Structure formats: structure tokens, C-alpha cells
Amino acid sequence: MAGSSLPPLRLAVLQPSISVVIEELGRLDAIAACTRYCLESVPALREREVKVIADSWSSTTDEILSAKPNLVLASVPYRLESLAAILKSGCPVITLAPHCLGDIYLDIRLLGSILHANDEAETLVAKMLQRIEDVQRIAPGAPTRPTVYCEEWGNPLIHSQGWVAELVSAAGANFLGSPGAVTRPEAIAEADPDVLVFAWCGAGDRVPLARVIEMRHWEQLRAVRERRVYCVPDHLLNTPASNLLQGLEALAACIHPEIFDPVAGVRTL
């Protein structure tokens, strides 16, 4: 009897971070459907016949299954109700929920395994580790480390995620607060950080810095007086993939502009 082979992968990708990694692994041909945010993060997908669907928070089961995938890949934030319905439909689902850089490296290796690109995944992880090590070596150590407040969302105020805290540390600074936790304007004002970094999820580079400072009565904060208030494009810090290396470069330039070159797209007051 002739041997049978598995059908080619047809992936429904519900988060841009996954598409970014798949491109790095050289396996874009496996994507059958993705979100419009994936198209923005990976322009090469526009040249392919992929079905555009909603993301893992708002997509419906029928919409996803209309692309006839044989594997759905989702990542936080996702709506449990949607994923539960997809699972009941019989289509396999893998959900990623990274909290730190170590989790992101594991997710890259997992995707490499799924896509038969283990060597490419190891090369990508090694590249990320090496660049972070390079920045750590250049960045000043204590006692010259400033304190940085990084904000992922503005209503309520939410500290950036754990991997951002690790990047801030690698860039030669101390991360203010608990990653992913809700905070208050008064708590940040009392801490009086040296640098303010805003990267609101889904906002791109459109955080209204002057308005935010005025509404929160932060005019007298050290960071504001010294004009060390920055908007870093959302995808550089909130997409848990290899483009975090660009986020690291952006943070390093905000924290130590005397050492690191500015990064395109970063705005300040």
C-alpha cells in the first residue's frame, strides 16, 4: 500500500505576532487566513491569496472556518467563547499566552516545530538573545539607571507587559510598577519617574501625549519638565515577536539618548 502524506498546513492566524514569526521562519505559504493587522505587520501577505478575517478577540467561528483551515493559531488577547466554539467544530486550535521573553522564545520554537522550521526558529531566538545582550553591554549600569513608566493602556492605566519590563532593564533602566497591572495617575505622580513611555494597544503612534499629561495633571513630573515623554509605536512593544528588537532599540534611545540613536516613528512632547 502506498504511503499517505499529511495535507499541507492551512493556518488561520488571528494575531500579527504569529504572522511576524511565520515570516521570519520563511513559511508564509502556510497561511490561509489572517487579520488585517497581520497585513499591516507583514506586508508580504498582501501579495498572497489569503482570506482576511477578524482577530482572536472578535472573529466568529463561521468566519474562521470559511477559510477551511486545518489549524487555528491565536494569541492573547482572545475571547474564550470564540475559541471554545472553534474547538467544538473539530478544527485544532493552538493558543499562545506569553508573559515574558522566555515565553516568546518558547512560542517561536513551537511555531518552528509546527512548520518544520526548527533550525530557523533556533536562529531567530539566537538573534534576539544576541541583540539583547549587545544592548545590555552598551547600556550604563547602576547607579545611573533611570526609572521608566511604560503604559500599555490609558483608561484604566495599565503598565506594559513583562517582556517590556525585561527590555527596559536590558536598555539600562528600572521598570516602574508591576507588569500588566492597573495603576492610578496619582501613584505614577508620586513615583515621579525619569522617563514616560506610552505604547497603547491598537493606537499605533497616535497617543495624544500633551492631552494625557494635562488631563492627569502631570505637568510637574520630572519626565515632563525634562521633556522625556515618548510615544513608541504600538507594534514595537505590544507584539510578542521578533519585532520587539525594534522596541528595544526605541526604548534604549528614549532612556539613554546620549548613547543610542533615535528610532523612526517615536514621538515626543
Side-chain angles (χ1 to χ4, degrees):
M1 178 182 293
S4 60
S5 60
L6 293 174
L9 279 174
R10 288 183 55 83
L11 303 177
V13 178
L14 306 188
Q15 287 296 103
S17 58
I18 299 173
S19 291
V20 168
V21 172
I22 291 175
E23 181 183 38
E24 291 269 11
L25 299 181
R27 299 295 192 273
L28 284 184
D29 57 326
I31 298 179
C34 67
T35 74
R36 65 182 179 90
Y37 304 108
C38 294
L39 298 182
E40 293 172 3
S41 296
V42 184
L45 283 170
R46 299 181 185 275
E47 304 169 7
R48 297 173 177 270
E49 294 183 4
V50 297
K51 184 178 181 64
V52 179
I53 56 179
D55 59 25
S56 49
W57 181 260
S58 54
S59 186
T60 65
T61 303
D62 289 342
E63 180 183 24
I64 294 171
L65 295 183
S66 69
K68 298 181 174 57
N70 49 26
L71 179 61
V72 177
L73 296 174
S75 183
V76 290
Y78 52 79
R79 193 163 54 117
L80 292 176
E81 293 84 356
S82 293
L83 295 180
I86 297 167
L87 285 168
K88 290 178 182 178
S89 75
C91 185
V93 181
I94 292 178
T95 62
L96 307 179
H99 297 285
C100 62
L101 290 174
D103 292 342
I104 295 170
Y105 304 147
L106 289 175
D107 289 344
I108 291 172
R109 291 181 171 114
L110 173 61
L111 292 172
S113 176
I114 292 168
L115 292 160
H116 307 292
N118 299 83
D119 291 345
E120 292 86 348
E122 289 301 329
T123 297
L124 179 56
V125 170
K127 181 178 84 169
M128 295 181 69
L129 290 167
Q130 184 60 58
R131 185 54 190 146
I132 291 171
E133 182 181 326
D134 291 343
V135 171
Q136 284 178 313
R137 187 171 58 252
I138 299 170
T144 59
R145 295 170 68 89
T147 299
V148 181
Y149 170 62
C150 292
E151 185 174 286
E152 181 185 283
W153 191 242
N155 187 22
L157 279 65
I158 301 178
H159 292 277
S160 293
Q161 296 301 310
W163 60 76
V164 177
E166 292 178 82
L167 295 179
V168 166
S169 179
N174 298 317
F175 183 88
L176 176 63
S178 299
V182 175
T183 188
R184 298 175 298 107
E186 296 79 10
I188 305 306
E190 183 178 352
D192 198 14
D194 301 286
V195 182
L196 301 176
V197 173
F198 298 87
W200 290 357
C201 279
D205 62 352
R206 300 183 300 276
V207 178
L209 297 176
R211 184 171 173 225
V212 168
I213 298 303
E214 180 183 3
M215 290 180 62
R216 298 178 186 177
H217 308 291
W218 282 358
E219 291 86 353
Q220 296 308 310
L221 266 64
R222 179 185 299 109
V224 178
R225 295 197 314 270
E226 297 179 1
R227 303 191 69 81
R228 303 193 66 187
V229 181
Y230 303 94
C231 171
V232 173
D234 164 45
H235 69 282
L236 297 187
L237 294 181
N238 298 327
T239 302
S242 52
N243 52 352
L244 288 178
L245 294 182
Q246 294 174 274
L248 172 61
E249 306 282 354
L251 287 171
C254 295
I255 294 166
H256 292 293
E258 74 283 2
I259 299 175
F260 296 96
D261 294 330
V263 171
V266 176
R267 292 192 297 108
T268 188
L269 279 176

